[in-house]
Amino acid sequence: MDRVRTVAQHTPDTRTKQGSAGLGLLLALVATVVWSGSFVATRGMADAVPPVQAVFWRWIIAALAVAPFAARQAWRQRELIRRHLGFTALASLFGVALYNTLVHQAGLTTSASNMGMIMAASPVVMAVYARLGGERLGVRRTFGLLLAAFGVLLLVGDGSLGFDFGAGDLWMLAAALSFATYSALLKRKPAELGGPAFLITTFVLGALMLAPAYAVSVTVQGGFEVTAGTGGMLLYVGVMSSAVAFFAWNKAVSLIGAARAGVVYYLQPVCVAGLGLLLLGERTSPAELLCMALILGGVGLGSARR
């Protein structure tokens, strides 16, 4: 009888944990799919909008998009934000200012698909950070991580393990490191600091960090023409890729941790390839399909709890 009662007492908690894990994986997937679209938009803006200007306006738009939902909470928690200003500034530097500037810079000289493939390397760094922080990855998750990484390496190497990175590829490697650092920092976010308040604070701080570089870019390169195309892509990266995707990703990391959320991020090259087929008519070769199968298999193993 006591055993039955014990099982009954633990069942709701187990279901809650399973539900949280499922929601975390779903939110990580949403962020990954939306960010995949941003690589296509970033590549599309490369010749029309200077990178720093594109990123600056991206975060202005993102801050305005979340303001109706986040400004009031941020004002209520202003003392808490001031107390943790060092942490939020660091998160803003790596996740807002540096990461996205590097991505837009890479878009000048590399393809959208290459950007997605290289960014899939960031979960490796996330897993290293998690392990250094004392998190046990487990044999199954480690094998899934390595399997997915192998698929990414083959994909980037065009079916082999040889590499010929260009300037844009190196910019993307730096972006992957910056994003992984941001994701690791999220583990240290003060629990009492609300998600919306944290989000709008990082957006505003990131835009302020970019303001001097934006002023220099406008002075040296001139402004850009706002057309239906550039305006639409800026709205996408500002509202969807910044406000919506960052909120989903931050929540996912809080629910399942950076390492498990990072494994889902391996779906990035698959999503980018799919969007390339739908929007650009790019077809995927059999070798690329095999690589994607390895990535998907690794994601499935790496997302498991054990």
Side-chain angles (χ1 to χ4, degrees):
M1 185 67 179
D2 290 339
R3 184 179 179 182
V4 173
R5 187 181 298 113
T6 301
V7 172
Q9 289 173 346
H10 286 283
T11 298
D13 184 58
T14 302
R15 290 177 179 174
T16 300
K17 289 181 179 179
Q18 290 175 342
S20 296
L23 178 60
L25 292 173
L26 177 61
L27 289 172
L29 180 60
V30 168
T32 298
V33 172
V34 173
W35 275 329
S36 298
S38 75
F39 289 132
V40 177
T42 297
R43 181 59 179 163
M45 285 190 287
D47 297 328
V49 187
V52 171
Q53 296 182 41
V55 178
F56 176 79
W57 284 110
R58 169 180 184 157
W59 296 114
I60 294 296
I61 293 170
L64 291 173
V66 301
F69 314 99
R72 182 175 298 179
Q73 184 185 77
W75 177 253
R76 288 200 307 266
Q77 296 189 331
R78 60 189 182 279
E79 285 301 318
L80 183 63
I81 292 171
R82 184 188 61 79
R83 195 158 61 244
H84 296 286
L85 189 59
F87 166 78
T88 52
L90 200 60
S92 301
L93 175 65
F94 285 103
V96 176
L98 273 181
Y99 164 60
N100 290 277
T101 302
L102 292 169
V103 169
H104 281 261
Q105 183 65 37
L108 294 173
T109 52
T110 194
S111 66
S113 57
N114 268 16
M115 292 163 71
M117 293 174 197
I118 295 170
M119 269 305 297
S122 59
V124 176
V125 186
M126 293 180 205
V128 171
Y129 282 147
R131 186 67 187 91
L132 291 175
E135 182 176 335
R136 293 180 59 86
L137 300 180
V139 175
R140 185 173 180 177
R141 285 173 61 191
T142 301
F143 179 72
L145 187 75
L146 293 175
L147 182 64
F150 182 67
V152 170
L153 290 175
L154 286 179
L155 199 59
V156 174
D158 196 22
S160 70
L161 294 179
F163 303 98
D164 184 19
F165 291 123
D169 297 327
L170 293 176
W171 285 117
M172 279 307 302
L173 284 174
L177 177 60
S178 182
F179 180 75
T181 303
Y182 168 76
S183 295
L185 283 171
L186 290 179
K187 293 281 287 184
R188 299 181 178 273
K189 184 180 82 68
E192 64 272 23
L193 180 58
F198 173 73
L199 209 60
I200 193 171
T201 301
T202 56
F203 290 175
V204 171
L205 287 176
L208 289 174
M209 290 175 184
L210 289 165
Y214 173 79
V216 171
S217 177
V218 171
T219 302
V220 175
Q221 300 173 290
F224 62 93
E225 182 182 359
V226 180
T227 64
T230 58
M233 285 184 283
L234 280 173
L235 284 174
Y236 179 85
V237 297
V239 177
M240 296 300 295
S241 298
S242 301
V244 174
F246 266 76
F247 179 81
W249 182 259
N250 291 358
K251 185 64 176 177
V253 170
S254 71
L255 289 172
I256 60 175
R260 291 185 69 199
V263 174
V264 179
Y265 198 76
Y266 269 121
L267 290 171
Q268 187 96 255
V270 181
C271 296
V272 173
L275 290 172
L277 176 63
L278 291 173
L279 302 177
L280 305 176
E282 297 177 349
R283 296 195 173 276
T284 305
S285 69
E288 289 172 329
L289 289 174
L290 174 61
C291 294
M292 290 180 190
L294 292 173
I295 295 170
L296 287 170
V299 168
L301 289 173
S303 296
R305 289 192 64 85
R306 295 183 180 181

